[in-house]
Structures are given as C-alpha cells and as structure tokens.
C-alpha cells in the first residue's frame, strides 16, 4: 500500500510529543482532581474495593487481591504504585483522615516499610464508604471506559467533603509538583457552610473557620501571620516545630521529651534527627545531653533526651530547633487538576470547586430519586385503581387467550377475542386506560395484595411517595433547599467523624541560638608511635621542645580551629577536628587516634600527619609500591567528610610515601631489590586526587618500591640499605620512568 510521507520539523514533533506525555502524567497519574481530591491510582483502588464488596463491616481481604484486581481492571501501571497508594491511605501518621482500614504491618512513622502485599489485608473505612463512595448507584458521577474498554470506571468519586483539604496531597509531575497540607474535618465543614451562605466571603473570613493546617503528627505552626498569603496565593512555606516538654527527674535533673514531631520529619528523618543530636553531643556542642532514647510506640512519639544536672534547658531547646529538623518547613503548592487542566488554587477556589461539584452531584442524585419515585407513583396509582375494578380484571384474565390480549385490554380497552360474562363487563373493559408499566404491575400482582390491610399499606406507601416527590422537586427547584440538604449532610459527617485539632497555630518568636565562639589559639599536636594523640599548650611545648621531639613521632603546631589529617598506606585520609582532641598535661597519655577518627590501627598504618592549613596551602606527593607517582594540589583535600580516598590505588598496591613537597627538588625511589632512582620533582605532573598517577620507575619482575624520599638540593640526606649508608643526593640523576642504579653490596 502506498504511504504518504509528511515532512515536518523534528523539534516540533519532539515538542508536541513531550507536551502530550507531560499532560498525560499530570492528569492521569501525578496530580489530584479538585473535585474528589484523589489521584487516579487512589480513586481506582477505592472504587475497586467498593466493587469487590470489601466494606467496613465485612471481613478483610488480602491486599494482593485488591492490587491485582485494580491493576487488571483499571490501573495498568505496575503493582508497586498501587500497593504504595493503598498503604499510604491506611497510615494515620500521613493522612488527616485514613481511608483504608489496614490489617497487618503497614509500616511505621519512623520510616519502616509495609510488609509485602501477600501478608497484609485491608478493607474500606466507614467514612470512605459513607462519605466517599455512597450514592454510586444513583448516577451521581460520569463513568468512562477503562484502558482496554472492557470495564467502566468513575471519572471522579462523589466525595461529600473537600478531600483535597482534608487529606492534602503530594505528587511530582513533569515540570510541576503539588504539596497540600492536611486540615481538620470540622473546620473544613464550617468553612464550606460559611461559603454556601455567602459566596462573596473572602479567604481572610474563611480562615476564621480554617485556622491552618492540621497535621496528623501534631506539632506547632509558628508563622500564623503568613498563612493568609499562603491560602490566598496557593503557595508558600509553613514553618512547623515539634513539641518539646520538660520532664522533672530524680536528683533535680530535667529530661527533654519530644512528644510531637514536625510533619516533614515523618519517616527516615526521625533517624536522621537522632543522628544529628548524637553528632551535636560528639562534637561537644551539646555536652549537657547524657543519653538519647527513642521510646516511641503505637501510643505516640516519645524521644527522651537525658540532661546533666543544671543544664541550660532553654538554650538546648533552641539548639535542637536550630541545628536539627525539629523545626522544619512544609512547602505549600496547592496545585490540582481543575476543569481538565492543572491550576494553582487558593483556599476559596478549592471550596468553590467543591461546592459546585456537590450541587452537581446532588442534582443528579435527586433527579434519579425523583425519576424512581415517579415510576413508583405510577405503579402505585395503577394498583390502587386495579383494586377498585379487580372483579373486571379477573374476568378479563379468565376470558383472554394470551397475555397480549390482557395488556391490550388494560391499556387501550381492546376487547376483541376476550369472552365476557355480560355486555356490561365488556362495556366497562373498553373504558380501561392503564399505562404499560401499570399493566405489567397488575399482571405481576399477587393475590394476597387484595387483603384489606395490604391495600391500606399500599395507600400509605402511595401517600409517602407523593410526599417524596414533592420534597425532591423542592430540592431540585430551589437553591436554598438543596443547599440545606448539603449542609445537613456535612453536619452529619462532622458529628460522626470530626475530631479535635492536633496542630497548634501561633506566631512564635524566631529561634535565636548563638554558638559559643571558640577562642582561637595556637596549640601543639603530639602523637607517639603507639597512636596516642593529645594537644599541648604552646608555652609548655616551647619549654620542653627537646623532650617532646625525643618522645613523640609526630609533632606539629596548629590552630585549635584547624583539622589534623592522617594519610595511611591504604590511600585513605582521615581527619579529626583539633577541638575534638583533648588538651592535656605533658605527661598525660592522650587518646588513641582510633577513638577520635575513622582510622583503625589494626587495619592500616599511618604514613604522614599534617594540619589541614598546611595541606591546603601546599602540594601533596604520593608514591606507591608499584612505582606510581603524582602531585596533587592541597586544596583537593579540604573537604567536610571525615574520611576520603586521598589517592586511587590499583588492586594490591599500597602507598609508600605521602608528604608535602613544595620545598623539595628531587624524588628518590628505592626498590626492594636495591635499585635507586633520583629524578627532578618537576617531571611529575600535577593531577586530581582520583588519578592513579604516572610511572616513576621501571620495575623488574617481582620488584617493588620499598621507600621513597623527597630531597632538598641544599641539604644532604642518607639512607641505609642492607647495612650500607647511601648518600641520596649523590645517587646518579636520571629520568622518571627509567630503571635507576643498582646498589652493590660487597
């Protein structure tokens, strides 16, 4: 078949395709609909549970069944996304109102994941069934075909409360994201009613009812005055603090107990908070804290900080708020799909969209109910009329040959082919004018309905039907009547499911925490050959220089604000803050370097020690056993991490030399087999610390570099090789990457 080639600009095709993809992600996956406040995966999961009959008053069902059914019928995007959505809807520490009743391990507030779906069970919560999924049989929402057009799914659920505000939302789309905090159900209901009574209400007036977010974890919102702008614009930052209480203990001590955490701390950030507090203790910024224990349980959060007697409690609180995530921000971006496109909404707009949706749902509901009542009224009137002429109807039934003759007679008065006992009966039959629906009901009527009490019940039922019709017509024809119905429904929801506010809204003062400034001073760092390190006052060092240099392997002066760096044979650089090293007397033993840093004397050997100030102002030289050499600018090592790879080593290779080389002119490499090579330092290129380096010496098979020396041209250096003294400055000057000169032992 001949095809037609359409020439077009490639960039235009890419642009159109990407926009189509982005809109698909935005509308079909990532963002909630403003009407029911649900993302497609949440909506489909809840509807599937409703379809499977997993109601709140029925037994739990395996989550694997729910996930599989949802994926097979409505959401073909993988089981993990469906199960994750199901789990979140069951977690009371993430949702303002839990929608799914989970049975089994559904994770914890500390970030523990839920058990696999084959182990957990779930069912709908009562509120979900009564407020989110009720009236689905009354044609209240539109249905659309599923992905393969074998099933029908609702476009939205008929949610009776603004779920977008109640449970909030989080989602990342393409080029945009939504982040809406949860709110209090009772406050939301009051705000919706206030809007329905006065459509011209402002956001400021609405906030008399909705004070601010109501996080499931409680906490304290500290920027009350900024909330108005956030709710007017739909974006901003909410500052949230955890709740810290003082708990008296024996001996006059006081413990700090964290009973509520900021909402953003939910999950792994609790562990990070504990690590941050531990780091403050280790760095001696919070020496008053003796112990940290997480005593949280199903009853709630309880993190206990044990303090020393006489600790400055207020200052410690301020430090926790300033230095940890106990005070955090919740970024608000109230983005949702409204009228088929993403839109950033204000508080009033959200309520406005919800109310419009409720009127639409209510209209469709009562139109359906009115239609049903009118049908019922028609049938009831037919049966009442039939009771008055029941003898004639029986005569028609007995005289007819088939059902069609009976129906034609009842609806049109057609008497042809029907045998009547008298002409009077035939004449009366010709006057019958029942409707088709009434005729069907008469034919299906059972004889016991002719009992007197049954007829009375039918009349009473008809009277009630007429009242229902009047009521439904009033609701449909009068705005105030429909608004009253919606408000009564909201009141019932608030009374049944409302709860007290958890989050406190206030204007708190900005936390002011000033760290004690360390008085900068020069000290002397000492480390002996056993790895014990200490600091010595500079004046004591000056008076005992000879003793110090005789007894200690490494001696260097530095500032107390500096860091000491240890380079090891494994190519690692371990650093420790000078302030973390104890300042002692001359004869005190000191502390093992193993206890101060990540270095382990059992696993590696220290080759070189220097202060960070010395290193970053100089150039480091590295030589390995395989003969690789390189120079590295000292600034490469000025990092925050306590341990880094100082150089890259080949497998099985070790570092032989690490040292500052700025004042040096020559490099001498000595091999195990007695080869010595002296060459100019300038032959070695400057490289990154992640480089392996260049070859310094050609090694014969089985040989390796045993020692390396850095020489200054004005000084004489000697080294011993198998009992022979070698003057390194007199070793024949060669070129890098040559064999060198072999020393012969006579």
């Amino acid at each position: 078949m001949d095809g037609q080639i359409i020439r077009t600009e490639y960039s235009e095709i890419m642009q159109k395709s990407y926009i189509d993809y982005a809109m698909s992600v935005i509308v079909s996956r990532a963002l909630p609909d403003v009407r029911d406040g649900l993302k497609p995966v949440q909506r489909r999961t809840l509807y599937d549970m409703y379809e499977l009959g997993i109601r709140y008053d029925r037994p739990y069902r395996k989550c694997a069944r729910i996930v599989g059914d949802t994926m097979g019928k409505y959401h073909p995007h993988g089981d993990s996304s469906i199960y994750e959505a199901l789990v979140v809807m069951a977690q009371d520490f993430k949702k303002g109102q839990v929608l799914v009743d989970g049975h089994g391990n559904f994770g914890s507030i500390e970030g523990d994941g839920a058990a696999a779906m084959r182990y957990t069970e779930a069912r709908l919560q009562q509120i979900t069934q009564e407020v989110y999924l009720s009236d689905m049989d009354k044609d209240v929402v539109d249905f659309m075909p599923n992905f393969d057009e074998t099933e029908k799914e609702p476009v939205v659920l008929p949610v009776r409360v603004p779920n977008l505000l109640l449970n909030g939302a989080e989602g990342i789309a393409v080029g945009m994201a939504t982040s809406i905090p949860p709110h209090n159900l009772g406050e939301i209901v009051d705000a919706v009613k206030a809007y329905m009574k006065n459509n011209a209400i402002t956001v400021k007036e609405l906030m008399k009812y909705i004070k601010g977010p109501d996080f499931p974890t409680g906490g304290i919102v500290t920027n009350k005055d900024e909330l108005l702008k956030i709710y007017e614009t739909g974006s901003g930052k909410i500052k949230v603090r955890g709740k810290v209480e003082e708990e008296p203990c024996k001996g006059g001590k006081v413990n700090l107990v964290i009973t509520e955490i900021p909402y953003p701390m939910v999950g792994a950030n609790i562990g990070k908070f504990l690590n941050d507090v531990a780091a403050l203790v280790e760095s001696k910024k919070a020496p008053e804290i003796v112990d940290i224990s997480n005593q949280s349980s199903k009853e709630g959060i309880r993190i206990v900080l044990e303090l020393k007697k006489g600790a400055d409690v207020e200052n410690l609180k301020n430090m926790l708020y300033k230095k940890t995530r106990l005070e955090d921000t919740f970024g608000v971006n109230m983005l949702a799909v409204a009228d088929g496109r993403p839109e950033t909404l204000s508080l009033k707009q959200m309520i406005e969209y919800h109310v419009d949706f409720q009127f639409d749902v209510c209209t469709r509901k009562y139109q359906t109910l009115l239609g049903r009542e009118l049908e019922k009224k028609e049938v009831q009137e037919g049966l009442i009329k039939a009771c008055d002429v029941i003898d004639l109807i029986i005569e028609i039934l007995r005289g007819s040959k088939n059902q069609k003759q009976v129906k034609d007679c009842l609806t049109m008065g057609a008497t042809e082919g029907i045998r009547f006992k008298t002409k009077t009966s035939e004449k009366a039959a010709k006057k019958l004018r029942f409707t088709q629906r009434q005729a069907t009901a008469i034919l299906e009527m059972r004889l016991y309905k002719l009992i007197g009490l049954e007829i009375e019940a039918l009349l009473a039922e008809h009277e009630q039907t007429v009242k229902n019709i009047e009521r439904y017509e009033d609701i449909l024809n009068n705005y105030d009547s429909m608004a009253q119905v919606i408000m009564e429904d909201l009141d019932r929801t608030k009374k049944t499911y409302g709860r007290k506010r958890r989050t406190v809204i206030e204007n708190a003062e900005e936390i002011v925490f000033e760290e004690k400034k360390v008085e900068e001073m020069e000290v002397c760092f000492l480390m002996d050959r056993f790895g014990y390190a200490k600091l010595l006052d500079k004046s004591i060092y000056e008076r005992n220089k000879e003793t110090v240099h005789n007894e200690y392997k490494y001696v260097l002066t530095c500032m107390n604000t500096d860091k000491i760096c240890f380079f090891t044979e494994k190519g690692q650089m371990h650093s420790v803050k000078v302030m973390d090293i104890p300042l002692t007397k001359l004869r005190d033993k000191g502390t093992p370097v193993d206890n101060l840093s990540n270095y382990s004397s059992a696993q590696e050997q220290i080759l070189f020690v220097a202060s960070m100030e010395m290193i970053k102002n100089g150039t480091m030289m590295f030589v390995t056993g395989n003969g690789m050499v390189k120079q590295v600018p000292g600034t490469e090592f000025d990092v925050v991490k306590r341990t880094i790879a100082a150089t890259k080593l080949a497998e099985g290779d070790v570092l032989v030399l690490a040292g500052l080389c700025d004042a040096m002119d020559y490099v001498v490499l000595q091999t195990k087999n007695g080869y010595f090579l002296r060459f100019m330092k300038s032959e070695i290129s400057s490289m990154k610390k992640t480089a392996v380096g260049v070859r310094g010496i050609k090694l014969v098979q089985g040989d390796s570099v045993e020692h390396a020396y850095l020489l200054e041209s004005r000084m004489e250096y000697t080294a011993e090789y198998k009992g022979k003294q070698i003057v390194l400055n007199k070793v024949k000057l060669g070129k890098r990457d040559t064999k060198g000169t072999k020393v012969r032992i006579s």
Side-chain angles (χ1 to χ4, degrees):
M1 187 175 73
D2 292 337
Q4 186 181 1
I5 297 173
I6 300 172
R7 293 187 177 277
T8 185
E9 183 67 33
Y10 183 71
S11 60
E12 290 177 10
I13 291 290
M14 289 296 293
Q15 187 179 6
K16 183 180 182 303
S17 299
Y18 193 76
I19 289 171
D20 290 345
Y21 160 71
M23 285 306 295
S24 173
V25 172
I26 290 165
V27 176
S28 303
R29 293 181 74 171
L31 300 187
D33 192 295
V34 70
R35 292 171 290 181
D36 62 3
L38 297 169
K39 295 182 191 178
V41 64
Q42 297 170 325
R43 185 182 304 117
R44 288 163 176 168
T45 304
L46 294 177
Y47 179 67
D48 187 74
M49 293 175 75
Y50 172 80
E51 283 286 284
L52 290 173
I54 312 173
R55 313 294 167 87
Y56 75 93
D57 52 356
R58 295 185 187 176
Y60 295 94
R61 296 281 286 277
K62 283 284 185 188
C63 289
R65 170 66 198 278
I66 298 166
V67 171
D69 204 62
T70 304
M71 184 167 60
K73 285 182 179 178
Y74 309 117
H75 197 74
H77 295 295
D79 56 351
S80 59
S81 63
I82 300 169
Y83 185 51
E84 193 176 317
L86 181 67
V87 167
V88 170
M89 288 192 287
Q91 293 176 327
D92 58 1
F93 50 85
K94 281 192 179 177
K95 290 292 179 185
Q97 179 63 60
V98 179
L99 303 180
V100 172
D101 181 6
H103 184 64
N105 177 12
F106 274 77
S108 74
I109 194 171
E110 294 175 34
D112 301 312
M117 66 180 87
R118 60 183 177 274
Y119 301 122
T120 55
E121 297 176 330
R123 64 185 177 189
L124 291 172
Q125 287 277 12
Q126 186 173 350
I127 186 173
T128 316
Q129 192 172 316
E130 294 181 353
V131 179
Y132 285 66
L133 291 158
S134 63
D135 300 327
M136 291 290 286
D137 59 335
K138 296 181 179 68
D139 188 35
V140 289
V141 291
D142 291 329
F143 279 74
M144 63 181 181
N146 68 338
F147 61 91
D148 62 359
E149 299 190 358
T150 57
E151 301 279 345
K152 292 280 188 181
E153 61 174 303
V155 175
V156 288
L157 296 184
V159 183
R160 295 180 182 175
V161 292
N163 181 57
L164 202 56
L165 287 170
L166 176 60
N167 271 328
E170 283 185 13
I172 299 171
V174 179
M176 57 184 68
T178 184
S179 180
I180 304 170
H183 295 80
N184 184 273
L185 176 61
E187 292 179 6
I188 293 168
V189 166
D190 292 341
V192 171
K193 287 169 63 181
Y195 171 80
M196 291 176 71
K197 291 173 183 175
N198 175 21
N199 290 354
I201 194 170
T202 63
V203 173
K204 188 175 183 179
E205 289 169 334
L206 282 170
M207 288 188 67
K208 291 177 183 176
Y209 306 98
I210 297 178
K211 310 295 183 187
D214 188 20
F215 297 109
T217 54
I220 305 162
V221 170
T222 61
N223 57 335
K224 181 180 179 181
D225 287 345
E226 294 174 25
L227 294 181
L228 176 59
K229 187 178 179 183
I230 292 171
Y231 283 119
E232 282 178 337
T233 61
S235 62
K237 288 183 178 178
I238 295 173
K239 293 179 184 176
V240 196
R241 278 183 200 166
K243 191 175 180 183
V244 184
E245 296 177 355
E246 295 176 23
E247 194 175 83
C249 296
K250 293 178 181 177
K253 293 181 181 179
V254 175
N255 285 352
L256 284 181
V257 182
I258 296 155
T259 55
E260 293 176 9
I261 59 172
Y263 187 62
M265 200 198 277
V266 169
N269 285 326
I270 293 179
K272 188 178 183 309
F273 167 75
L274 296 172
N275 290 336
D276 288 345
V277 175
L280 289 172
V281 176
E282 285 177 17
S283 63
K284 297 183 174 61
K285 289 181 180 177
E288 299 99 330
I289 299 175
V290 177
D291 188 40
I292 315 159
S293 58
N294 187 1
Q295 300 174 13
S296 304
S297 63
K298 288 182 178 180
E299 279 68 49
I301 290 289
R302 182 178 166 82
I303 299 171
V304 181
L305 307 181
E306 291 183 29
L307 308 181
K308 290 179 181 176
K309 188 175 180 180
D312 187 345
V313 177
E314 201 59 40
N315 189 53
L316 267 176
K317 276 187 191 178
N318 291 346
M319 180 188 285
L320 291 174
Y321 286 135
K322 213 60 171 165
K323 296 287 184 181
T324 71
R325 297 195 69 170
L326 195 60
E327 180 175 271
D328 211 338
T329 56
F330 182 93
V332 177
N333 187 27
M334 301 203 291
L335 186 72
V337 177
D339 297 327
R341 60 188 180 85
E343 188 178 341
T344 302
L345 305 166
S346 68
L347 176 65
K348 183 180 177 180
Q349 284 175 307
M350 281 188 177
I351 293 174
E352 194 174 348
Y353 273 110
H354 170 75
V355 171
D356 289 346
F357 177 58
Q358 286 309 300
F359 271 96
D360 183 46
V361 167
C362 213
T363 299
R364 294 178 65 158
K365 173 184 174 180
Y366 285 104
Q367 281 175 344
T368 302
L369 289 174
L370 179 61
R372 290 177 186 175
E373 290 297 313
L374 287 171
E375 287 177 13
K376 199 190 290 185
K377 177 173 175 278
E378 183 184 336
V379 170
Q380 289 168 346
E381 287 176 348
L383 292 176
I384 292 167
K385 186 179 174 184
C387 289
D388 294 336
V389 290
I390 194 65
D391 294 331
L392 176 61
I393 290 171
I394 292 169
E395 192 174 333
I396 293 168
L397 288 168
R398 296 186 67 182
S400 300
K401 295 176 182 176
N402 52 51
Q403 191 172 324
K404 186 177 181 306
Q405 278 187 336
V406 178
K407 270 197 171 182
D408 289 344
C409 183
L410 291 175
T411 57
M412 297 180 290
T415 57
E416 292 81 5
I418 302 175
R419 295 194 310 274
F420 291 93
K421 291 181 180 178
T422 63
K423 289 287 183 183
T424 306
S425 297
E426 185 177 357
K427 195 174 180 181
K430 286 181 179 181
K431 293 178 182 179
L432 295 176
R433 290 294 183 273
F434 289 101
T435 65
Q436 285 287 344
R437 191 175 281 115
Q438 289 173 338
T440 302
I442 291 166
L443 290 174
E444 291 173 354
M445 184 175 67
R446 301 196 176 185
L447 290 175
Y448 78 87
K449 290 285 186 182
L450 300 174
I451 299 170
L453 288 175
E454 287 293 328
I455 294 171
E456 286 180 18
L458 179 62
L459 290 168
E461 189 181 340
H462 176 256
E463 189 178 337
Q464 183 59 48
T465 302
V466 171
K467 286 180 182 177
N468 288 344
I469 290 169
E470 288 175 1
R471 179 169 173 265
Y472 297 157
E473 284 178 341
D474 178 55
I475 291 170
L476 289 167
N477 295 328
N478 294 306
Y479 173 89
D480 292 341
S481 299
M482 187 175 286
Q484 188 62 35
V485 168
I486 294 171
M487 286 193 280
E488 286 173 2
D489 205 29
L490 286 169
D491 285 334
R492 276 194 299 273
T493 303
K494 177 183 173 180
K495 186 178 179 182
T496 309
Y497 304 108
R499 56 164 176 75
K500 289 183 179 178
R501 163 173 278 281
R502 294 169 179 156
T503 303
V504 176
I505 309 290
E506 64 182 30
N507 279 317
E509 291 182 10
E510 184 73 25
I511 291 294
V512 178
F513 171 70
E514 291 184 10
E515 289 189 60
K516 294 176 184 175
K517 289 185 178 179
V518 178
E519 187 182 343
E520 200 169 345
M521 59 183 282
E522 199 173 8
V523 292
C524 183
F525 169 79
L526 311 178
M527 190 172 86
D528 62 19
R529 59 194 177 92
F530 300 109
Y532 282 81
K534 64 182 179 181
L535 294 180
L536 208 60
D537 190 88
K538 183 77 182 297
S539 59
I540 298 174
Y541 163 70
E542 293 289 349
R543 291 197 300 269
N544 300 275
K545 258 187 185 180
E546 191 176 343
T547 306
V548 167
H549 283 278
N550 287 337
E551 293 183 5
Y552 292 92
K553 187 176 180 180
Y554 296 102
V555 179
L556 55 100
T557 56
C558 59
M559 302 305 293
N560 62 344
T561 53
D562 204 350
K563 288 195 289 188
I564 302 295
C565 303
F566 307 93
F567 292 83
T568 71
E569 60 179 346
K570 288 192 174 181
Q572 300 286 310
M573 184 192 87
H574 304 285
S575 63
V576 57
K577 290 180 180 178
V578 174
M579 282 189 291
D580 293 343
I581 304 169
L583 184 68
T584 63
K585 295 176 182 176
L586 179 61
R587 293 300 166 194
D588 287 348
K589 195 170 185 181
T591 305
V593 177
D594 302 49
N595 296 349
L596 298 170
S597 67
N598 296 331
Y599 165 73
S600 171
S601 57
Q603 296 176 1
E604 49 189 340
Q605 183 183 346
I606 293 173
L607 295 178
F608 178 68
V609 178
S611 71
M612 179 58 76
E613 193 64 30
M614 293 165 62
I615 293 167
K616 71 181 181 182
N617 290 325
T619 305
M620 287 292 296
M621 172 76 74
F622 294 97
V623 181
T624 76
N626 289 348
M628 305 305 289
V629 295
K630 69 173 179 179
Q631 293 188 67
V632 181
T635 51
E636 289 257 322
F637 303 97
D638 190 8
V639 294
V640 177
K641 288 185 178 179
R642 296 178 70 189
T643 299
I644 61 166
T647 185
K648 188 176 182 181
L649 294 174
E651 192 174 346
D653 200 2
V654 293
L655 205 58
V656 173
L657 170 78
L660 290 163
C661 63
D662 296 88
M664 304 302 172
D665 303 302
Y666 301 101
V667 179
V668 177
L669 305 182
Q670 174 195 333
T671 74
K672 189 170 61 177
N673 291 345
Y675 285 92
F676 282 76
L677 175 62
R678 180 167 69 100
F679 59 90
M680 298 291 290
K681 181 192 77 173
S682 57
E683 292 186 48
I684 302 172
S685 305
S686 180
M687 301 179 178
K688 295 281 187 185
K689 67 174 184 285
T690 51
V692 176
V694 293
R695 193 161 63 176
I697 186 170
K698 280 185 180 175
L699 296 170
V700 297
Q701 192 170 2
D703 201 2
S704 63
V705 176
E706 195 171 38
H707 295 289
Y709 307 93
L710 294 170
L711 311 183
E712 191 182 351
S713 56
R714 292 174 296 175
M715 292 182 66
E716 189 174 283
Y717 298 83
T718 59
E720 187 179 302
Y721 176 69
K722 292 188 177 179
K724 184 177 180 179
Q725 289 291 321
I726 308 294
V727 180
L728 297 175
N729 304 67
K730 293 183 179 179
V731 172
K732 184 181 176 183
L733 185 64
K735 292 286 185 184
R736 181 185 63 78
D737 199 16
T738 56
K739 211 170 182 181
T741 306
K742 186 170 176 66
V743 174
R744 303 205 179 273
I745 307 297
S746 55

